[in-house]
Amino acid sequence: MKKIGLTNKIFIALILGVLSGVALYPFKENLIIKNYVIDFFFNFLGTGFIRAIRMIVIPLVFCSLTVGAAGIEDIKKLGRVGIKTLSFYLGTTAVAITLALGVGSLINPGKGIVLSQISTTNVSVGETKPFIDILLGMIPINPIEALAKGDMLQIIVFSILCGVAMAMLGDKVSTIRKGMDELNNIVLKIVDLVMQLAPFGVYGLIAKTFSTLGYSAMLPLLKYFLAVIFVLLLHYLITYQSLLILIAKYNPIKFLKKFSGPMMVAFSTSSSSATLPASMETLQEEFGVSKGISSFTIPLGSTINMDGTAIMQGVATIFIAQIYGVSLTMGDFVTVIITATLTSIGTAGVPGVGVIMLGMVLQQVGLPLEGMALVMGIDRFVDMFRTVVNITGDAVCTLIVAKTEGELKREEDATSVNENTLA
Ligand code: ASP
Protein backbone atom coordinates (compact mmCIF):
# COMPACT_ATOMS: atom_id res chain seq x y z
CA MET A 1 0.00 0.00 0.00
CA LYS A 2 1.28 3.46 -0.86
CA LYS A 3 2.42 5.40 2.21
CA ILE A 4 0.26 8.43 2.96
CA GLY A 5 2.34 11.64 2.92
CA LEU A 6 2.33 13.96 5.92
CA THR A 7 0.34 16.65 4.11
CA ASN A 8 -2.42 14.20 3.32
CA LYS A 9 -2.43 12.93 6.87
CA ILE A 10 -2.83 16.51 8.13
CA PHE A 11 -5.67 17.07 5.70
CA ILE A 12 -7.49 13.92 6.78
CA ALA A 13 -7.01 14.97 10.41
CA LEU A 14 -8.50 18.38 9.61
CA ILE A 15 -11.64 16.89 8.07
CA LEU A 16 -12.01 14.37 10.90
CA GLY A 17 -11.58 17.24 13.37
CA VAL A 18 -14.39 19.27 11.79
CA LEU A 19 -16.66 16.21 11.69
CA SER A 20 -16.01 15.24 15.31
CA GLY A 21 -16.37 18.84 16.47
CA VAL A 22 -19.66 19.43 14.69
CA ALA A 23 -21.00 16.06 15.85
CA LEU A 24 -20.14 16.77 19.48
CA TYR A 25 -21.27 20.42 19.51
CA PRO A 26 -24.88 19.64 20.56
CA PHE A 27 -23.52 17.65 23.52
CA LYS A 28 -20.93 20.14 24.64
CA GLU A 29 -22.71 20.73 27.96
CA ASN A 30 -22.75 17.00 28.73
CA LEU A 31 -20.26 16.58 31.58
CA ILE A 32 -18.60 13.46 30.20
CA ILE A 33 -18.18 14.94 26.73
CA LYS A 34 -17.02 18.27 28.10
CA ASN A 35 -14.60 17.02 30.76
CA TYR A 36 -13.18 13.94 29.12
CA VAL A 37 -13.45 14.49 25.40
CA ILE A 38 -13.26 18.24 24.76
CA ASP A 39 -11.30 19.60 27.70
CA PHE A 40 -9.08 16.56 28.15
CA PHE A 41 -8.60 14.55 24.97
CA PHE A 42 -8.91 17.27 22.28
CA ASN A 43 -7.18 19.76 24.51
CA PHE A 44 -4.27 17.42 25.23
CA LEU A 45 -3.68 16.68 21.53
CA GLY A 46 -4.07 20.30 20.39
CA THR A 47 -2.36 22.17 23.19
CA GLY A 48 0.34 19.51 23.44
CA PHE A 49 1.19 20.00 19.78
CA ILE A 50 1.25 23.79 20.10
CA ARG A 51 3.54 23.54 23.13
CA ALA A 52 5.91 21.22 21.26
CA ILE A 53 6.05 23.69 18.38
CA ARG A 54 6.58 26.66 20.65
CA MET A 55 9.44 24.75 22.24
CA ILE A 56 11.37 24.77 18.98
CA VAL A 57 10.51 28.19 17.59
CA ILE A 58 13.12 30.22 19.47
CA PRO A 59 16.06 27.82 19.05
CA LEU A 60 15.08 27.51 15.39
CA VAL A 61 14.90 31.25 14.74
CA PHE A 62 18.16 31.91 16.55
CA CYS A 63 20.15 29.06 14.97
CA SER A 64 18.78 29.35 11.47
CA LEU A 65 19.08 33.12 11.25
CA THR A 66 22.62 33.10 12.61
CA VAL A 67 23.70 30.27 10.33
CA GLY A 68 21.78 31.84 7.44
CA ALA A 69 23.35 35.28 7.84
CA ALA A 70 26.80 33.76 8.37
CA GLY A 71 26.26 31.67 5.25
CA ILE A 72 25.72 34.73 3.07
CA GLU A 73 29.40 35.53 3.07
CA ASP A 74 28.96 38.55 0.90
CA ILE A 75 27.71 41.28 3.25
CA LYS A 76 26.45 43.34 0.31
CA LYS A 77 24.23 40.46 -0.71
CA LEU A 78 22.82 40.22 2.81
CA GLY A 79 21.94 43.92 2.65
CA ARG A 80 20.34 43.45 -0.76
CA VAL A 81 18.28 40.48 0.40
CA GLY A 82 17.25 42.43 3.50
CA ILE A 83 16.06 45.45 1.55
CA LYS A 84 14.20 43.35 -1.01
CA THR A 85 12.49 41.34 1.71
CA LEU A 86 11.44 44.37 3.74
CA SER A 87 10.10 46.26 0.73
CA PHE A 88 8.16 43.24 -0.42
CA TYR A 89 6.66 42.65 3.01
CA LEU A 90 5.57 46.25 3.55
CA GLY A 91 4.48 46.68 -0.08
CA THR A 92 2.20 43.62 -0.15
CA THR A 93 0.69 44.54 3.21
CA ALA A 94 -0.20 47.99 1.88
CA VAL A 95 -1.75 46.39 -1.22
CA ALA A 96 -3.69 43.95 0.98
CA ILE A 97 -5.23 46.63 3.16
CA THR A 98 -6.04 48.84 0.16
CA LEU A 99 -7.81 45.90 -1.45
CA ALA A 100 -9.73 45.30 1.78
CA LEU A 101 -10.87 48.92 1.99
CA GLY A 102 -11.79 49.01 -1.69
CA VAL A 103 -13.80 45.80 -1.69
CA GLY A 104 -15.24 46.60 1.75
CA SER A 105 -16.60 49.92 0.47
CA LEU A 106 -18.20 48.15 -2.48
CA ILE A 107 -19.90 45.30 -0.68
CA ASN A 108 -20.84 47.16 2.53
CA PRO A 109 -20.49 44.29 5.01
CA GLY A 110 -22.05 46.27 7.88
CA LYS A 111 -25.15 47.65 6.13
CA GLY A 112 -28.41 46.33 7.49
CA ILE A 113 -26.97 44.74 10.61
CA VAL A 114 -28.68 45.65 13.85
CA LEU A 115 -26.34 45.92 16.81
CA SER A 116 -28.59 43.96 19.16
CA GLN A 117 -28.41 40.90 16.88
CA ILE A 118 -24.86 40.37 17.92
CA SER A 119 -23.69 39.16 21.27
CA THR A 120 -20.58 40.97 22.36
CA THR A 121 -17.50 39.76 24.16
CA ASN A 122 -15.28 41.67 26.54
CA VAL A 123 -12.89 43.99 24.79
CA SER A 124 -9.24 44.48 25.52
CA VAL A 125 -7.53 47.13 23.48
CA GLY A 126 -4.08 46.94 21.93
CA GLU A 127 -1.67 49.37 23.44
CA THR A 128 -1.05 52.29 21.11
CA LYS A 129 2.68 52.41 20.59
CA PRO A 130 4.29 55.28 18.67
CA PHE A 131 6.34 54.10 15.71
CA ILE A 132 9.57 55.31 17.30
CA ASP A 133 8.95 52.95 20.23
CA ILE A 134 8.43 50.02 17.86
CA LEU A 135 11.76 50.86 16.21
CA LEU A 136 13.65 51.32 19.49
CA GLY A 137 12.05 48.19 20.90
CA MET A 138 13.78 46.17 18.19
CA ILE A 139 17.20 46.81 19.76
CA PRO A 140 17.68 44.34 22.61
CA ILE A 141 19.25 45.77 25.77
CA ASN A 142 19.76 42.24 26.99
CA PRO A 143 19.83 39.55 24.29
CA ILE A 144 19.50 36.73 26.82
CA GLU A 145 16.35 38.29 28.19
CA ALA A 146 15.04 38.68 24.64
CA LEU A 147 15.60 34.95 24.04
CA ALA A 148 14.04 33.99 27.36
CA LYS A 149 11.00 36.20 26.82
CA GLY A 150 10.68 35.21 23.17
CA ASP A 151 10.75 38.80 21.89
CA MET A 152 10.88 37.90 18.21
CA LEU A 153 12.01 41.22 16.72
CA GLN A 154 14.84 41.58 19.22
CA ILE A 155 15.88 37.96 18.64
CA ILE A 156 15.93 38.55 14.89
CA VAL A 157 18.14 41.64 15.23
CA PHE A 158 20.56 39.88 17.57
CA SER A 159 20.75 36.67 15.51
CA ILE A 160 21.44 38.57 12.30
CA LEU A 161 24.20 40.53 14.05
CA CYS A 162 25.79 37.30 15.30
CA GLY A 163 25.64 35.87 11.78
CA VAL A 164 27.07 39.01 10.18
CA ALA A 165 29.92 39.10 12.71
CA MET A 166 30.65 35.43 12.00
CA ALA A 167 30.66 36.09 8.25
CA MET A 168 33.06 39.01 8.73
CA LEU A 169 35.44 37.00 10.91
CA GLY A 170 35.51 34.10 8.44
CA ASP A 171 38.04 31.38 9.28
CA LYS A 172 38.94 32.92 12.62
CA VAL A 173 35.69 31.53 14.05
CA SER A 174 35.49 28.32 12.07
CA THR A 175 35.02 26.13 15.16
CA ILE A 176 32.00 28.06 16.44
CA ARG A 177 30.64 28.19 12.93
CA LYS A 178 30.82 24.46 12.58
CA GLY A 179 29.26 24.12 16.02
CA MET A 180 26.38 26.43 15.05
CA ASP A 181 25.84 24.43 11.87
CA GLU A 182 25.62 21.24 13.88
CA LEU A 183 23.32 22.83 16.46
CA ASN A 184 21.13 23.98 13.61
CA ASN A 185 20.96 20.43 12.28
CA ILE A 186 19.91 19.15 15.70
CA VAL A 187 17.13 21.75 15.89
CA LEU A 188 15.96 20.84 12.37
CA LYS A 189 15.83 17.19 13.34
CA ILE A 190 13.62 18.06 16.31
CA VAL A 191 11.39 20.04 13.92
CA ASP A 192 11.06 16.94 11.81
CA LEU A 193 10.09 14.83 14.82
CA VAL A 194 7.53 17.35 16.07
CA MET A 195 5.99 17.68 12.61
CA GLN A 196 5.26 13.95 12.63
CA LEU A 197 2.80 14.74 15.42
CA ALA A 198 1.03 17.40 13.35
CA PRO A 199 -1.94 15.23 12.29
CA PHE A 200 -2.83 14.50 15.92
CA GLY A 201 -2.37 18.12 16.95
CA VAL A 202 -4.43 19.42 14.04
CA TYR A 203 -7.23 16.96 14.82
CA GLY A 204 -7.34 18.05 18.47
CA LEU A 205 -7.28 21.78 17.69
CA ILE A 206 -9.97 21.71 15.06
CA ALA A 207 -12.23 19.31 16.95
CA LYS A 208 -11.99 21.51 20.05
CA THR A 209 -12.83 24.72 18.16
CA PHE A 210 -15.81 23.26 16.37
CA SER A 211 -17.18 21.38 19.37
CA THR A 212 -17.02 24.52 21.52
CA LEU A 213 -18.23 27.13 19.04
CA GLY A 214 -20.18 25.20 16.42
CA TYR A 215 -20.86 27.23 13.33
CA SER A 216 -23.90 28.93 14.68
CA ALA A 217 -21.46 31.34 16.32
CA MET A 218 -20.90 32.88 12.96
CA LEU A 219 -24.45 33.42 11.73
CA PRO A 220 -25.20 37.08 12.52
CA LEU A 221 -21.76 38.10 11.41
CA LEU A 222 -21.77 35.97 8.30
CA LYS A 223 -21.60 38.96 5.97
CA TYR A 224 -18.47 40.31 7.64
CA PHE A 225 -16.97 36.82 7.71
CA LEU A 226 -17.65 36.22 4.02
CA ALA A 227 -16.32 39.67 3.10
CA VAL A 228 -13.00 38.93 4.85
CA ILE A 229 -12.75 35.51 3.21
CA PHE A 230 -13.52 37.05 -0.18
CA VAL A 231 -10.75 39.66 0.09
CA LEU A 232 -8.29 37.07 1.42
CA LEU A 233 -9.03 34.93 -1.61
CA LEU A 234 -8.72 37.91 -3.94
CA HIS A 235 -5.33 38.84 -2.50
CA TYR A 236 -4.19 35.26 -2.89
CA LEU A 237 -5.49 34.93 -6.44
CA ILE A 238 -4.52 38.35 -7.76
CA THR A 239 -1.54 39.62 -5.80
CA TYR A 240 0.29 36.42 -4.94
CA GLN A 241 -0.44 34.50 -8.11
CA SER A 242 0.68 37.35 -10.35
CA LEU A 243 3.85 37.81 -8.29
CA LEU A 244 4.51 34.09 -8.57
CA ILE A 245 3.94 34.03 -12.30
CA LEU A 246 5.54 37.33 -13.25
CA ILE A 247 8.50 37.60 -10.91
CA ALA A 248 9.22 34.21 -9.35
CA LYS A 249 8.28 32.45 -12.62
CA TYR A 250 6.67 29.71 -10.58
CA ASN A 251 3.57 27.75 -11.53
CA PRO A 252 0.87 28.71 -8.94
CA ILE A 253 -0.71 25.24 -9.04
CA LYS A 254 2.61 23.62 -8.25
CA PHE A 255 3.11 26.19 -5.53
CA LEU A 256 -0.25 25.35 -3.96
CA LYS A 257 0.43 21.65 -4.12
CA LYS A 258 3.80 21.91 -2.47
CA PHE A 259 2.84 24.53 0.08
CA SER A 260 -0.48 23.01 1.20
CA GLY A 261 1.19 21.29 4.19
CA PRO A 262 2.25 24.53 5.91
CA MET A 263 -1.09 26.11 4.91
CA MET A 264 -2.96 23.43 6.81
CA VAL A 265 -0.71 23.86 9.82
CA ALA A 266 -1.42 27.62 9.71
CA PHE A 267 -5.16 27.01 9.36
CA SER A 268 -5.35 24.75 12.37
CA THR A 269 -2.90 26.55 14.66
CA SER A 270 -3.85 30.13 13.63
CA SER A 271 -0.27 31.04 14.30
CA SER A 272 2.44 32.17 11.90
CA SER A 273 5.09 31.42 14.51
CA ALA A 274 3.83 27.89 14.97
CA THR A 275 3.90 27.41 11.20
CA LEU A 276 7.44 28.72 10.86
CA PRO A 277 9.15 25.31 11.18
CA ALA A 278 6.86 23.72 8.57
CA SER A 279 7.23 26.65 6.14
CA MET A 280 10.97 26.71 6.40
CA GLU A 281 11.32 22.99 5.95
CA THR A 282 9.00 22.97 2.93
CA LEU A 283 10.71 25.90 1.22
CA GLN A 284 14.10 24.32 1.63
CA GLU A 285 13.27 20.73 0.86
CA GLU A 286 10.37 20.99 -1.57
CA PHE A 287 11.13 24.23 -3.38
CA GLY A 288 14.90 24.00 -3.09
CA VAL A 289 15.35 27.51 -1.71
CA SER A 290 18.78 27.92 -0.11
CA LYS A 291 19.02 28.03 3.68
CA GLY A 292 20.78 31.38 3.41
CA ILE A 293 17.64 33.01 2.04
CA SER A 294 14.79 31.05 3.60
CA SER A 295 16.22 31.15 7.09
CA PHE A 296 16.29 34.91 6.77
CA THR A 297 12.98 35.64 5.06
CA ILE A 298 10.71 33.16 6.87
CA PRO A 299 11.42 34.05 10.52
CA LEU A 300 11.27 37.73 9.57
CA GLY A 301 8.06 37.26 7.60
CA SER A 302 6.29 35.27 10.28
CA THR A 303 7.00 38.15 12.64
CA ILE A 304 6.39 41.26 10.56
CA ASN A 305 4.47 40.28 7.43
CA MET A 306 0.74 39.92 8.06
CA ASP A 307 -1.25 40.57 4.91
CA GLY A 308 -4.20 38.48 6.06
CA THR A 309 -4.36 40.34 9.35
CA ALA A 310 -4.26 43.70 7.54
CA ILE A 311 -7.15 42.54 5.34
CA MET A 312 -9.23 41.60 8.36
CA GLN A 313 -8.49 45.01 9.89
CA GLY A 314 -9.53 46.84 6.73
CA VAL A 315 -12.82 44.98 6.38
CA ALA A 316 -13.49 45.22 10.13
CA THR A 317 -12.93 48.98 10.09
CA ILE A 318 -15.50 49.44 7.35
CA PHE A 319 -17.89 46.99 9.00
CA ILE A 320 -17.69 48.78 12.34
CA ALA A 321 -18.00 52.23 10.75
CA GLN A 322 -21.16 51.12 8.93
CA ILE A 323 -22.71 49.54 11.98
CA TYR A 324 -22.21 52.74 13.94
CA GLY A 325 -23.30 54.88 11.00
CA VAL A 326 -19.94 56.67 10.68
CA SER A 327 -18.75 57.56 7.18
CA LEU A 328 -15.04 57.37 6.58
CA THR A 329 -13.22 60.02 4.55
CA MET A 330 -10.40 59.50 2.05
CA GLY A 331 -8.02 60.79 4.74
CA ASP A 332 -9.32 58.11 7.13
CA PHE A 333 -8.59 55.47 4.49
CA VAL A 334 -5.00 56.67 4.15
CA THR A 335 -4.65 56.64 7.95
CA VAL A 336 -5.99 53.07 8.06
CA ILE A 337 -3.54 51.97 5.34
CA ILE A 338 -0.54 53.46 7.11
CA THR A 339 -1.55 52.31 10.61
CA ALA A 340 -2.42 48.77 9.57
CA THR A 341 0.82 48.38 7.59
CA LEU A 342 2.92 49.58 10.51
CA THR A 343 1.00 47.67 13.18
CA SER A 344 1.53 44.49 11.21
CA ILE A 345 5.22 44.79 12.14
CA GLY A 346 4.33 44.74 15.80
CA THR A 347 1.71 41.97 15.56
CA ALA A 348 2.98 38.73 17.00
CA GLY A 349 2.37 35.61 14.92
CA VAL A 350 0.15 33.96 17.49
CA PRO A 351 -3.62 33.42 17.58
CA GLY A 352 -5.88 36.37 18.17
CA VAL A 353 -3.35 39.20 18.27
CA GLY A 354 -4.51 40.80 15.04
CA VAL A 355 -7.93 41.60 16.40
CA ILE A 356 -6.43 43.23 19.49
CA MET A 357 -4.24 45.40 17.27
CA LEU A 358 -7.41 46.41 15.45
CA GLY A 359 -7.93 48.68 18.45
CA MET A 360 -5.05 50.86 17.26
CA VAL A 361 -6.51 51.20 13.79
CA LEU A 362 -9.97 52.08 15.10
CA GLN A 363 -8.49 54.61 17.50
CA GLN A 364 -6.59 56.36 14.73
CA VAL A 365 -9.80 57.04 12.81
CA GLY A 366 -11.93 57.73 15.88
CA LEU A 367 -14.22 54.70 15.66
CA PRO A 368 -15.74 53.29 18.87
CA LEU A 369 -13.53 50.56 20.31
CA GLU A 370 -16.62 48.68 21.45
CA GLY A 371 -16.93 47.72 17.80
CA MET A 372 -14.08 45.29 18.32
CA ALA A 373 -16.26 43.20 20.58
CA LEU A 374 -18.51 42.45 17.63
CA VAL A 375 -15.86 40.94 15.45
CA MET A 376 -14.13 39.21 18.35
CA GLY A 377 -17.01 36.77 18.72
CA ILE A 378 -16.07 35.03 15.50
CA ASP A 379 -12.42 35.97 15.31
CA ARG A 380 -11.29 32.43 16.04
CA PHE A 381 -12.62 31.38 12.62
CA VAL A 382 -11.40 34.44 10.76
CA ASP A 383 -7.96 33.96 12.31
CA MET A 384 -7.62 30.50 10.74
CA PHE A 385 -8.07 31.87 7.25
CA ARG A 386 -6.03 35.04 7.62
CA THR A 387 -3.07 33.16 9.09
CA VAL A 388 -2.94 31.02 5.94
CA VAL A 389 -2.62 34.22 3.88
CA ASN A 390 -0.03 35.61 6.32
CA ILE A 391 2.31 32.68 5.84
CA THR A 392 1.64 32.37 2.12
CA GLY A 393 2.88 35.94 1.68
CA ASP A 394 6.13 34.97 3.40
CA ALA A 395 6.59 32.00 1.08
CA VAL A 396 5.86 34.01 -2.07
CA CYS A 397 8.39 36.63 -1.00
CA THR A 398 10.96 33.95 -0.31
CA LEU A 399 10.52 32.51 -3.80
CA ILE A 400 10.85 35.97 -5.35
CA VAL A 401 13.99 36.80 -3.42
CA ALA A 402 15.48 33.38 -4.21
CA LYS A 403 14.62 33.77 -7.88
CA THR A 404 16.01 37.29 -8.21
CA GLU A 405 19.17 36.18 -6.41
CA GLY A 406 19.51 33.37 -8.95
CA GLU A 407 19.29 30.80 -6.19
CA LEU A 408 16.04 29.03 -6.92
CA LYS A 409 17.06 25.58 -7.97
CA ARG A 410 15.26 24.03 -10.88
CA GLU A 411 12.03 22.39 -9.74
CA GLU A 412 13.09 18.90 -10.70
CA ASP A 413 16.25 19.24 -8.58
CA ALA A 414 14.28 20.54 -5.68
CA THR A 415 11.76 17.73 -5.47
CA SER A 416 14.34 15.00 -5.45
CA VAL A 417 16.23 16.46 -2.49
CA ASN A 418 14.16 14.85 0.21
CA GLU A 419 11.14 12.66 0.01
CA ASN A 420 10.34 12.11 3.62
CA THR A 421 9.23 15.64 4.51
CA LEU A 422 5.90 17.33 3.84
CA ALA A 423 4.94 15.72 0.57
N1 ASP B 1 -2.92 34.64 14.03
C1 ASP B 1 -2.21 35.54 13.17
C2 ASP B 1 -0.87 34.94 12.81
O1 ASP B 1 -0.27 34.26 13.59
C3 ASP B 1 -2.03 36.89 13.76
C4 ASP B 1 -3.38 37.51 13.93
O2 ASP B 1 -3.86 38.13 12.98
O3 ASP B 1 -3.98 37.37 15.00
O4 ASP B 1 -0.38 35.15 11.74
Side-chain angles (χ1 to χ4, degrees):
M1 219 176 75
K2 204 173 158 258
K3 256 186 90 194
I4 310 176
L6 188 54
T7 306
N8 292 337
K9 281 192 200 153
I10 298 177
F11 185 68
I12 296 169
L14 196 109
I15 303 284
L16 289 178
V18 174
L19 293 178
S20 323
V22 171
L24 288 182
Y25 177 66
F27 312 103
K28 73 177 168 112
E29 301 300 340
N30 177 307
L31 281 185
I32 296 184
I33 301 281
K34 185 173 168 356
N35 291 344
Y36 294 103
V37 183
I38 304 180
D39 289 346
F40 188 86
F41 182 59
F42 293 163
N43 195 16
F44 176 74
L45 291 181
T47 313
F49 175 59
I50 298 265
R51 285 185 70 100
I53 285 185
R54 288 182 57 187
M55 165 180 80
I56 49 178
V57 167
I58 292 177
L60 179 68
V61 170
F62 178 69
C63 292
S64 63
L65 263 180
T66 308
V67 170
I72 305 185
E73 312 236 319
D74 174 358
I75 299 294
K76 266 203 209 123
K77 180 175 167 193
L78 185 62
R80 212 171 53 226
V81 168
I83 290 173
K84 269 188 216 172
T85 311
L86 273 181
S87 343
F88 178 90
Y89 283 160
L90 293 180
T92 46
T93 308
V95 170
I97 174 96
T98 311
L99 205 60
L101 292 175
V103 175
S105 315
L106 286 179
I107 52 182
N108 299 322
K111 283 258 164 76
I113 293 191
V114 186
L115 275 180
S116 60
Q117 276 178 354
I118 305 160
S119 60
T120 52
T121 358
N122 283 337
V123 186
S124 67
V125 181
E127 231 181 286
T128 318
K129 260 196 194 166
F131 187 54
I132 177 75
D133 287 354
I134 297 183
L135 273 183
L136 285 175
M138 289 163 74
I139 308 171
I141 307 175
N142 178 349
I144 308 295
E145 189 193 9
L147 285 165
K149 279 202 329 212
D151 187 323
M152 229 21 128
L153 283 175
Q154 295 192 353
I155 296 174
I156 288 176
V157 169
F158 183 67
S159 319
I160 294 177
L161 269 178
C162 287
V164 169
M166 271 160 67
M168 291 168 100
L169 288 167
D171 285 344
K172 283 191 210 139
V173 289
S174 56
T175 320
I176 299 249
R177 232 174 124 149
K178 190 157 176 277
M180 278 304 293
D181 268 339
E182 289 176 1
L183 196 60
N184 195 30
N185 286 339
I186 296 176
V187 175
L188 289 176
K189 191 72 212 164
I190 303 179
V191 170
D192 221 32
L193 295 176
V194 171
M195 284 315 294
Q196 299 301 320
L197 299 175
F200 302 100
V202 165
Y203 173 78
L205 288 166
I206 298 284
K208 183 162 187 277
T209 305
F210 276 82
S211 56
T212 330
L213 299 175
Y215 19 66
S216 57
M218 308 184 201
L219 284 179
L221 290 164
L222 199 62
K223 223 172 150 190
Y224 158 76
F225 178 75
L226 290 178
V228 178
I229 303 293
F230 179 66
V231 185
L232 289 174
L233 203 64
L234 220 55
H235 189 57
Y236 175 82
L237 292 175
I238 299 179
T239 318
Y240 293 158
Q241 294 218 5
S242 41
L243 287 169
L244 277 175
I245 297 170
L246 298 176
I247 310 184
K249 310 262 186 273
Y250 210 94
N251 180 339
I253 312 271
K254 276 198 182 139
F255 171 83
L256 186 62
K257 239 171 127 187
K258 288 187 181 174
F259 202 62
S260 54
M263 283 172 161
M264 277 183 271
V265 176
F267 185 77
S268 44
T269 60
S270 294
S271 163
S272 301
S273 297
T275 316
L276 191 155
S279 293
M280 202 135 92
E281 193 178 25
T282 306
L283 279 157
Q284 289 172 4
E285 316 253 332
E286 299 289 321
F287 291 84
V289 176
S290 73
K291 280 195 181 146
I293 287 181
S294 57
S295 55
F296 177 80
T297 54
I298 296 294
L300 192 65
S302 68
T303 314
I304 70 164
N305 186 40
M306 309 267 166
D307 295 357
T309 303
I311 286 173
M312 174 278 287
Q313 291 174 344
V315 177
T317 306
I318 293 200
F319 175 74
I320 291 168
Q322 288 178 342
I323 279 191
Y324 284 95
V326 179
S327 45
L328 296 171
T329 62
M330 219 43 205
D332 289 335
F333 278 14
V334 176
T335 311
V336 173
I337 294 173
I338 297 173
T339 323
T341 307
L342 294 181
T343 32
S344 77
I345 300 179
T347 306
V350 291
V353 183
V355 77
I356 294 182
M357 302 304 257
L358 173 65
M360 283 201 204
V361 180
L362 295 181
Q363 228 161 30
Q364 292 297 321
V365 286
L367 282 172
L369 292 177
E370 294 74 47
M372 283 163 63
L374 309 175
V375 294
M376 272 187 178
I378 55 158
D379 194 63
R380 189 68 191 80
F381 294 106
V382 180
D383 204 1
M384 295 167 133
F385 292 91
R386 69 171 178 258
T387 307
V388 174
V389 170
N390 287 347
I391 62 129
T392 305
D394 306 341
V396 172
C397 165
T398 304
L399 289 180
I400 288 181
V401 174
K403 180 76 187 176
T404 53
E405 286 296 315
E407 281 193 13
L408 196 56
K409 287 187 204 152
R410 286 209 329 267
E411 282 170 37
E412 16 340 339
D413 301 340
T415 28
S416 61
V417 175
N418 195 333
E419 282 129 24
N420 62 18
T421 47
L422 298 174

